[in-house]
Amino acid sequence: MTAHDSNPLVIIGTGLAGYTLAREFRRLDAARPLVLVSHDDGAFYSKPMLSNALSQGREVEALVTADADTMASRLDARVLAHREVVAIDRERRRVRLADGETLDYGKLVLAVGARPIRIPLQGEAADRVSSINNLEDYRRFRQALRPGATVLIMGAGLIGCEFANDLAASGHGVTVTDPAPLPLGRLAPPANAERLRDALQALGVAWCLGDHVVRLDEAADGRLEATLAGGERVEADLVLSAVGLRPDTRLAEAAGLVCRRGIVVDHLLRTSDPDIHALGDCIELDGQVLPFVQPIMIGARALARTLAGHPTEVDYPPMPVVVKTPACPTVVAPPPAGAEGEWRVEADESGVESRFVDTAGRLRGFALSGDRAARRQALTAELEAAADA
Amino acid sequence: MKKWQCIVCGFVYDEAEGLPEEGIAPGTRWEDIPEDWACPDCGVAKADFEMIEIADCA
């Protein structure tokens, strides 16, 4: 071990990326000082469960598996909760916190995640749009959600559909708007998207597809009235925005690191400064932003090895994404951008299986709905074989 | 029979259904799954105790 290696590893962010990296790193290096900085309370919780907790009867606090102190002792680390990093001094290898404290680092990891995209709306109630991107947001949402309340969801992507299913299945009126003609946008071909649309509709979800909210006003009894571009008006108790996420590049940009859509990293998850790595929803690798669990887990394991002195490149296998909509279980593995080929669809009452086959006859992507979702492992193996061929 | 959910990724393991594609027979209890098993969605190891019980369908 060189002197350099005994300087602390500092991780900014205690989401799945930050904590998984810390855990994997500790397995390989029990000695190096480890510091995590969090702008929230530093509790470890299950983010993917936010969008299915209601129908499973789970309270917000049941999603927390360990508080910051527990995580600190488990990881033999300092966990600084409710602290904001305001600047990175790359020359001195030091970060500065909002309260003036500084932390020296040997290696720094940005695991700062992504922020919800906000669509500018007109109207006096435009600021009453909620978005759910962390446990604190979700806590507020659940407090505001009265039994039987109606919710208008802006955005029919993966998160919008999951919340629509969860809310409708637990006795809430749900309306979903999206400028696209079908849910799931570019993630799924029409046959699968239609199946999900119909299943959620059967559950009671009202769709306003090909339309979007342009203004939000106060209505009677504290309710909200949304006006859509097509002129339709929709009343709701709450309005939830689920239009997408944008990597949080603020700190990286201020420090002069190369950023495009996300913080640009190479296959060692290194930014343009070799002493600073980045992981998770904030990164852009090979031009891609992948805000899903599996790339985080794979990245964290590789980066832990790299930081422990064994440079390990990230190599993503095919990573199908599960849409947690029990009304119509859906699994999607979109074909790579620019892949040439066609969707071949098999559909019956029990489900839909869409296979994207390229011009050489190889499977390059798939989408499975209903009972066909159980075919995920078989098709993933086929994708893997085709990628290796 | 119980259902378990991976807290990392939301994957649900249903003891009644097992995971036949991974060689885990229907009816296999969570405690009988080998220690080297990993969540098929996110790869978290069973040893990390990341699965929590969500339903008892007995």
Side-chain angles (χ1 to χ4, degrees):
Chain A
M1 186 188 273
T2 66
H4 187 65
D5 288 338
S6 63
N7 289 325
L9 170 61
V10 174
I11 300 172
I12 305 176
T14 58
L16 183 62
Y19 271 142
T20 302
L21 172 65
R23 186 187 70 200
E24 296 293 326
F25 177 76
R26 263 294 173 253
R27 286 187 176 154
L28 304 171
D29 184 336
R32 187 166 180 173
L34 178 59
V35 184
L36 293 103
V37 188
S38 180
H39 66 82
D40 64 19
D41 62 7
F44 185 58
Y45 68 98
S46 170
K47 192 163 181 176
M49 283 190 187
L50 297 184
S51 52
N52 54 44
L54 256 179
S55 51
Q56 289 176 357
R58 205 173 282 145
E59 294 303 320
V60 176
E61 298 321 313
L63 300 173
V64 176
T65 48
D67 63 17
D69 289 344
T70 308
M71 291 305 288
S73 76
R74 205 181 276 177
L75 295 166
D76 188 18
R78 282 178 75 199
V79 177
L80 307 178
H82 298 297
R83 305 285 289 278
E84 197 86 36
V85 174
V86 290
I88 303 168
D89 182 342
R90 289 163 53 190
E91 217 158 283
R92 295 195 180 85
R93 285 206 291 270
R94 177 179 290 173
V95 296
R96 189 157 49 81
L97 307 181
D99 55 17
E101 190 183 335
T102 57
L103 300 169
D104 292 330
Y105 64 82
K107 294 283 182 191
L108 178 67
V109 178
L110 304 175
V112 293
R115 299 196 300 154
I117 294 171
R118 299 208 67 118
I119 305 281
L121 298 179
Q122 298 177 315
E124 70 215 15
D127 61 348
R128 283 180 58 192
V129 175
S130 328
S131 54
I132 299 175
N133 190 40
N134 55 47
L135 190 66
E136 192 48 47
D137 293 341
Y138 188 61
R139 198 176 274 134
R140 274 197 297 270
F141 178 75
R142 285 284 291 264
Q143 276 164 1
L145 184 73
R146 302 280 161 239
T150 55
V151 182
L152 171 65
I153 299 175
M154 297 162 53
L158 181 143
I159 299 295
C161 287
E162 290 186 354
F163 274 113
N165 196 150
D166 200 42
L167 286 160
S170 51
H172 297 280
V174 179
T175 301
V176 184
T177 65
D178 197 293
L182 284 169
L184 294 183
R186 287 155 301 156
L187 280 176
N192 299 81
E194 285 163 4
R195 189 61 64 105
L196 178 61
R197 176 197 63 195
D198 296 348
L200 290 177
Q201 189 162 324
L203 197 64
V205 171
W207 293 104
C208 295
L209 294 166
D211 210 343
H212 61 280
V213 178
V214 289
R215 68 177 292 139
L216 197 58
D217 293 291
E218 310 273 352
D221 306 325
R223 284 165 63 85
L224 297 165
E225 184 188 68
T227 306
L228 309 189
E232 197 178 335
R233 294 181 181 200
V234 181
E235 267 206 24
D237 295 299
L238 295 169
V239 176
L240 186 59
S241 174
V243 296
L245 295 172
R246 180 175 291 145
D248 189 345
T249 56
R250 292 171 297 174
L251 203 49
E253 274 182 66
L257 301 174
V258 174
C259 296
R260 282 194 290 264
R261 281 167 66 206
I263 303 168
V264 174
V265 294
D266 63 14
H267 280 255
L268 290 170
L269 300 182
R270 245 180 349 200
T271 67
S272 52
D273 178 332
D275 289 322
I276 305 178
H277 290 73
L279 174 70
D281 292 0
C282 63
I283 67 168
E284 176 182 325
L285 174 60
D286 292 336
Q288 274 192 302
V289 175
L290 295 170
F292 305 110
V293 167
Q294 220 184 342
I296 292 178
M297 304 303 288
I298 291 165
R301 289 185 197 112
L303 182 53
R305 290 185 55 78
T306 297
L307 294 169
H310 315 284
T312 304
E313 294 202 341
V314 174
D315 183 17
Y316 294 133
M319 296 180 291
V321 176
V322 177
V323 187
K324 291 188 294 302
T325 43
C328 177
T330 303
V331 185
V332 293
E340 286 194 32
E342 58 175 12
W343 285 104
R344 295 183 189 165
V345 180
E346 263 181 57
D348 56 32
E349 271 173 28
S350 69
V352 181
E353 178 169 331
S354 301
R355 307 162 60 95
F356 188 88
V357 179
D358 69 13
T359 45
R362 290 174 308 182
L363 182 71
R364 302 298 301 277
F366 62 79
L368 304 169
S369 306
D371 289 353
R372 298 290 185 109
R375 298 246 308 131
R376 176 183 57 168
Q377 256 108 353
L379 286 185
T380 306
E382 201 181 325
L383 266 191
E384 236 159 298
D388 293 343
Chain B
M1 294 282 107
K2 290 174 180 168
K3 281 189 187 181
W4 300 79
Q5 187 165 25
C6 175
I7 67 149
V8 168
C9 69
F11 171 80
V12 174
Y13 174 68
D14 183 338
E15 293 182 342
E17 288 180 13
L19 285 169
E21 292 192 51
E22 294 200 12
I24 296 173
T28 304
R29 292 190 183 279
W30 175 242
E31 56 263 36
D32 295 330
I33 287 181
E35 286 306 312
D36 62 358
W37 183 85
C39 172
D41 279 6
C42 69
V44 157
K46 186 186 177 194
D48 291 326
F49 298 106
E50 304 274 11
M51 296 287 269
I52 62 165
E53 191 180 326
I54 54 168
D56 195 338
C57 318

